[in-house]
Amino acid sequence: VLCESPTYLGAVNAMRAYGVAFVDVTTDDDGMLPDDLAKKLASCRRPKVIYVIPDFQNPAGRCWSTERRVALLEVAARHDVVVLEDCPYRDLRFEGEQRPSLKSLDKREQVVFLGTFSKIFCPGLRLGWVAAPQALLDKYVLVKQGVDLHTSSLNQMVLASYLEHHDIDANVAALRTLYRARRDAMVSALEAAKIEGAHFTRPAGGLFSWLELPERINARDLLVECLERNLAFVPGGAFFPNGGHENTVRLNFSNMPEERIKEGVRRLAEAIRSMSSSKRHP
Amino acid sequence: VLCESPTYLGAVNAMRAYGVAFVDVTTDDDGMLPDDLAKKLASCRRPKVIYVIPDFQNPAGRCWSTERRVALLEVAARHDVVVLEDCPYRDLRFEGEQRPSLKSLDKREQVVFLGTFSKIFCPGLRLGWVAAPQALLDKYVLVKQGVDLHTSSLNQMVLASYLEHHDIDANVAALRTLYRARRDAMVSALEAAKIEGAHFTRPAGGLFSWLELPERINARDLLVECLERNLAFVPGGAFFPNGGHENTVRLNFSNMPEERIKEGVRRLAEAIRSMSSSKRHP
């Protein structure tokens, strides 16, 4: 499986159980670098899937440029490899224009698109959808049956009734407004905190900002410091299937009101400063 | 994985995805034969799990004797192998005394017990439970997270509320009464049908009777004949992971009212007779 760097931890764990090896492709704020993808596809023994989250990726919050989306499909077309487009955050755009989904650009029936109601309705229902070429869908249904027999019929009825009688677009619009304000609160707080040597993203959608700290700071140690301050985050290293990048942090802004985000960033900055000073003066 | 012969198709499909090989142990109406289990455990390269459904097995409806349960654990104790006790039908006993679960006999922390609300409350909720040694449970939680992140929280709340405000034992008692009458209807109908060379079981619980036909009758061909008569069943061959036994049929009696069971068995017997006569006089 070829994946972004970083990539979504949950997908890595789900695929790892089947004995998958991960090849991480160099990725910048616009998406995978096509040349590096081509090089790695060519040197892979049996590339099966290119796994990507082009819209407001978990964890880094990045959104691929249209150019890179087109380039990905061109490179993939030269190999017999499926593109798995994981797309939970696409509708949670705060500003700017939507970029085309890979699936909408797919002329060769290469793309499997994964959608979910978890981020736009309710994660507790465990409901999503797949858009894929029929031949792959037939296999998918067979394999899914092996995993879970079937998806909860009660939950499918609950969702069907909601979609029939309520306005999910209005719900998504309300989420966008809420999360935009929380994104702003987090970015402002990070700017105000002036953490030495830190870089962080200002994502145009989704749930996450990505924080890179000076290399001397290990985010797993930082988490221990933060838990003492009743603050938690996911260390970024967990999102690199082949390790490294232990100085990175995934910051979620969707779950907390603005005041608590502000206080959380204050405690985070304090914990970083306390680690930095204790390292300098042991 | 060592399993009964036949064994539950759904478990086979779930495990096969992980590259498992199945070794089927000779099984009679009282359960696995301990000597055959011991022999096959000894000749297996890396036996990992003994997978069994001791109570009213899907598909064969058999219920292990207490003696065989004790013997299984004794044989398993001589090898470093987990016993996976899949137990969906235990509470659906129509007559006679409960036998001890393997888990209740487990003195060496070898047994993983799987329960489910699918057969005693509602299959659409996809809820069950696991009783296992803590070290295995810790691993189980980790691995389950990789598969599904988490079980539907809404459904867990629905069930918790049901268990708090209603009487699940009364529900199970009602199911027992209903299914017992349907089991009786099916067994009577099968007796009345006098299918030449057929053997069928009269299970003391669960959802299934098991029908063995003369070897010349392939149940997959029979299914085609039956579908023309608007009748369906699961061919028994599907429950043998290593193939064979194509002359067997799993008959479900829980899902249909007595009159339709009677009519279904009538059509089944008719389809078998039509196949037998066309084979004899082609």
Side-chain angles (χ1 to χ4, degrees):
Chain A
V1 173
L2 292 103
C3 60
E4 295 164 274
S5 178
T7 187
Y8 173 49
L9 172 64
V12 167
N13 286 343
M15 294 190 271
R16 208 193 285 280
Y18 297 93
V20 164
F22 295 92
V23 176
D24 43 332
V25 177
T26 308
T27 313
D28 66 17
D29 285 347
D30 288 326
M32 278 183 179
L33 302 184
D35 288 350
D36 193 56
L37 175 63
K39 199 182 81 186
K40 282 175 178 159
L41 269 174
S43 66
C44 255
R45 202 164 52 89
R46 286 171 65 200
K48 290 268 188 94
V49 171
I50 304 169
Y51 170 75
V52 289
I53 311 125
D55 290 281
F56 316 122
Q57 191 219 44
N58 180 354
R62 58 169 61 116
C63 184
W64 289 35
S65 69
T66 302
E67 197 182 7
R68 288 282 179 82
R69 292 170 193 242
V70 172
L72 169 77
L73 291 178
E74 280 170 2
V75 174
R78 298 200 294 267
H79 295 80
D80 183 24
V81 57
V82 168
V83 176
L84 188 53
E85 179 177 23
D86 191 6
C87 207
Y89 313 107
R90 182 173 175 78
D91 292 323
L92 300 175
R93 174 180 278 280
F94 310 141
E95 59 225 1
E97 287 292 307
Q98 282 290 27
R99 315 261 164 88
S101 68
L102 296 177
K103 188 72 199 154
S104 74
L105 298 169
D106 180 22
K107 292 184 189 116
R108 292 179 183 82
E109 302 228 308
Q110 281 186 287
V111 177
V112 173
F113 178 99
L114 302 179
T116 176
F117 289 97
S118 287
K119 311 304 176 194
I120 57 174
F121 181 51
C122 170
L125 289 182
R126 318 309 297 140
L127 293 177
W129 66 92
V130 184
Q134 191 60 47
L136 277 175
L137 271 186
D138 292 345
K139 286 281 179 196
Y140 175 85
V141 168
L142 210 68
V143 169
K144 181 176 182 302
Q145 239 175 54
V147 173
D148 68 2
L149 285 186
H150 65 87
T151 297
S152 166
S153 42
L154 179 72
N155 290 353
Q156 294 184 71
M157 289 179 214
V158 168
L159 180 68
S161 174
Y162 175 81
L163 292 175
E164 195 179 335
H165 299 294
H166 300 266
D167 183 354
I168 195 169
D169 294 331
N171 189 53
V172 173
L175 289 176
R176 273 197 293 258
T177 304
L178 184 71
Y179 294 169
R180 182 192 298 116
R182 290 177 175 182
R183 187 269 324 257
D184 289 343
M186 180 167 276
V187 170
S188 302
L190 284 166
E191 282 167 352
K194 295 191 201 307
I195 302 165
E196 201 190 319
H199 297 274
F200 55 86
T201 61
R202 185 182 185 281
L207 314 178
F208 307 109
S209 178
W210 183 248
L211 174 65
E212 291 188 43
L213 297 169
E215 291 211 357
R216 68 176 182 280
I217 298 181
N218 184 309
R220 295 180 207 259
D221 299 336
L222 178 61
L223 178 61
V224 176
E225 279 286 326
C226 286
L227 287 172
E228 282 171 22
R229 293 169 166 83
N230 203 23
L231 177 79
F233 59 79
V234 182
F239 297 92
F240 295 87
N242 300 313
H245 305 268
E246 294 294 349
N247 58 321
T248 58
V249 171
R250 188 191 79 172
L251 294 174
N252 169 276
F253 52 76
S254 65
N255 201 40
M256 285 288 159
E258 293 163 46
E259 274 313 300
R260 294 192 71 187
I261 289 173
K262 206 173 147 183
E263 172 61 18
V265 171
R266 199 193 60 73
R267 291 187 198 180
L268 176 69
E270 191 184 271
I272 292 169
R273 272 192 301 273
S274 112
M275 275 183 74
S276 301
S277 61
S278 70
K279 287 225 169 159
R280 279 171 193 169
H281 318 286
Chain B
V1 173
L2 293 103
C3 59
E4 293 163 276
S5 177
T7 187
Y8 173 49
L9 172 64
V12 167
N13 286 341
M15 293 190 274
R16 210 194 283 282
Y18 298 92
V20 164
F22 295 92
V23 176
D24 42 331
V25 177
T26 309
T27 315
D28 67 15
D29 284 347
D30 288 328
M32 277 182 179
L33 302 184
D35 288 350
D36 193 56
L37 175 64
K39 200 182 79 185
K40 284 178 176 156
L41 268 174
S43 66
C44 256
R45 201 163 52 88
R46 285 170 65 199
K48 290 271 188 92
V49 171
I50 304 170
Y51 170 74
V52 290
I53 311 125
D55 290 281
F56 317 121
Q57 191 220 43
N58 181 354
R62 58 170 60 115
C63 184
W64 289 36
S65 69
T66 302
E67 198 183 7
R68 289 283 179 82
R69 292 170 194 243
V70 172
L72 170 77
L73 292 178
E74 280 171 3
V75 174
R78 298 201 293 268
H79 295 80
D80 182 23
V81 58
V82 169
V83 177
L84 187 54
E85 179 177 24
D86 191 7
C87 208
Y89 313 108
R90 183 173 175 78
D91 292 323
L92 299 175
R93 174 180 278 279
F94 311 141
E95 59 227 2
E97 288 292 307
Q98 283 291 29
R99 315 261 164 87
S101 68
L102 296 177
K103 188 71 202 157
S104 74
L105 299 168
D106 180 23
K107 294 185 189 114
R108 292 179 183 84
E109 301 229 308
Q110 281 187 287
V111 178
V112 173
F113 178 98
L114 302 180
T116 175
F117 290 97
S118 287
K119 313 303 178 194
I120 57 173
F121 181 52
C122 169
L125 290 182
R126 319 307 298 138
L127 292 178
W129 67 91
V130 184
Q134 190 61 48
L136 277 175
L137 270 186
D138 293 345
K139 286 280 178 195
Y140 175 85
V141 168
L142 211 65
V143 169
K144 182 175 181 302
Q145 240 175 53
V147 172
D148 68 3
L149 285 186
H150 65 87
T151 297
S152 167
S153 42
L154 179 72
N155 290 353
Q156 293 185 72
M157 289 180 214
V158 168
L159 179 69
S161 174
Y162 175 81
L163 292 175
E164 194 178 338
H165 300 294
H166 300 266
D167 183 354
I168 194 167
D169 293 333
N171 188 53
V172 173
L175 290 175
R176 274 197 292 257
T177 304
L178 183 73
Y179 294 170
R180 183 192 298 116
R182 291 179 175 180
R183 187 268 327 257
D184 290 343
M186 180 166 276
V187 169
S188 303
L190 284 166
E191 281 165 354
K194 295 191 201 308
I195 303 166
E196 203 190 317
H199 297 274
F200 55 86
T201 61
R202 186 183 185 281
L207 315 177
F208 307 108
S209 179
W210 182 249
L211 175 64
E212 291 189 42
L213 297 169
E215 291 212 357
R216 67 176 183 279
I217 298 180
N218 182 308
R220 294 180 207 260
D221 299 337
L222 179 61
L223 178 61
V224 175
E225 279 286 326
C226 286
L227 287 173
E228 283 171 21
R229 292 168 167 84
N230 204 21
L231 178 78
F233 59 79
V234 182
F239 297 92
F240 295 88
N242 300 313
H245 306 267
E246 294 296 348
N247 58 322
T248 57
V249 171
R250 188 192 77 171
L251 294 174
N252 169 277
F253 52 75
S254 65
N255 200 39
M256 286 288 158
E258 291 161 47
E259 275 312 301
R260 295 192 71 185
I261 289 172
K262 205 173 148 184
E263 172 61 19
V265 171
R266 198 193 61 73
R267 292 186 198 181
L268 176 69
E270 192 185 87
I272 292 168
R273 274 194 299 274
S274 113
M275 274 183 76
S276 300
S277 61
S278 71
K279 287 226 169 159
R280 280 171 194 171
H281 318 286

